[in-house]
């Protein structure tokens, strides 16, 4: 199972999801690949946002070694599931996809609330208080992903 988490910048939301799901995959002894990317390249090469790192570390997960990268069309060949974190991310992925098969692309939160096509709130635009609720939402959704595919 190869999973890619995709948000806009790959510094706030999807790096948390990469760290959290990798942690759970290890706990369950599963042989999955979990990575993340962003549809824009503004932050390519950067470590996750300091508050994303902090909230993960407070839950025993060190994501400081992760680096942002840009989503590419080749990712459609590499991954089984591509989780989009928001509606604007789906629109970006569709543009990058060209003739690639969009059926691999799913709203991340549909694993928690099927069929609702909800977006994970972007904490980038707020202060530190936004990061814990986002972490908790991601954690809950990663539990659902483990239960579904393990
Ligand atoms: P993310 O948050 O998509 O959760 O990583 C963002 C980070 C940076 C920007 C937008 C969203 N930005 O426009 O720089």
């Amino acid at each position: 199972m190869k999973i890619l988490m995709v948000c806009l910048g790959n510094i706030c939301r999807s790096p948390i999801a990469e760290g959290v799901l990798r942690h759970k995959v290890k706990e369950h002894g599963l042989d999955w690949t979990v990575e993340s990317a962003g549809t824009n390249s503004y932050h390519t090469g950067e470590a996750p946002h300091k508050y994303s790192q902090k909230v993960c570390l407070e839950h025993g997960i060190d994501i400081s070694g992760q680096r942002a990268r840009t989503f590419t069309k080749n990712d459609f060949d590499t991954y089984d599931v591509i989780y989009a974190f928001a509606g604007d991310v789906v629109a970006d992925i569709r543009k990058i996809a060209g003739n690639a098969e969009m059926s691999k692309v799913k709203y991340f939160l549909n694993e928690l609330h099927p069929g609702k096509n909800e977006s994970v709130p972007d904490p980038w635009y707020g202060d530190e208080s936004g990061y814990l609720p986002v972490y908790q939402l991601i954690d809950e959704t990663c539990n659902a992903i483990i239960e579904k595919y393990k």
Side-chain angles (χ1 to χ4, degrees):
M1 182 77 172
K2 290 189 175 165
I3 294 175
L4 186 65
M5 306 289 189
V6 186
C7 63
L8 292 174
N10 193 208
I11 55 164
C12 295
R13 293 166 291 179
S14 62
I16 296 175
E18 176 181 338
V20 167
L21 188 57
R22 273 192 184 174
H23 187 77
K24 293 180 191 299
V25 159
K26 209 168 177 185
E27 277 179 345
H28 285 80
L30 299 166
D31 182 24
W32 294 4
T33 298
V34 182
E35 284 166 350
S36 67
T39 54
N40 73 45
S41 54
Y42 301 145
H43 298 278
T44 290
E46 291 179 21
H49 191 282
K50 62 179 176 181
Y51 294 143
S52 291
Q53 292 194 40
K54 188 174 169 190
V55 74
C56 284
L57 207 52
E58 283 166 358
H59 293 83
I61 299 171
D62 182 357
I63 63 167
S64 63
Q66 295 175 199
R67 292 294 177 270
R69 74 161 176 89
T70 312
F71 179 82
T72 73
K73 197 178 171 186
N74 289 339
D75 289 324
F76 281 94
D77 300 327
T78 308
Y79 298 93
D80 302 306
V81 182
I82 296 167
Y83 282 122
F85 275 57
D88 50 3
V89 176
V90 172
D92 284 351
I93 290 174
R94 192 170 279 125
K95 278 182 220 153
I96 295 164
N99 59 359
E101 183 49 65
M102 281 293 288
S103 62
K104 286 184 178 180
V105 181
K106 300 171 195 279
Y107 278 80
F108 177 73
L109 283 184
N110 277 0
E111 299 291 9
L112 194 63
H113 302 135
K116 294 229 154 67
N117 293 354
E118 291 168 349
S119 298
V120 178
D122 194 346
W124 170 255
Y125 302 101
D127 61 17
E128 185 177 356
S129 66
Y131 285 76
L132 181 58
V134 165
Y135 177 92
Q136 289 167 334
L137 190 58
I138 289 171
D139 183 62
E140 219 182 323
T141 307
C142 287
N143 285 339
I145 291 169
I146 292 279
E147 287 310 308
K148 183 171 174 182
Y149 293 106
K150 75 178 181 194

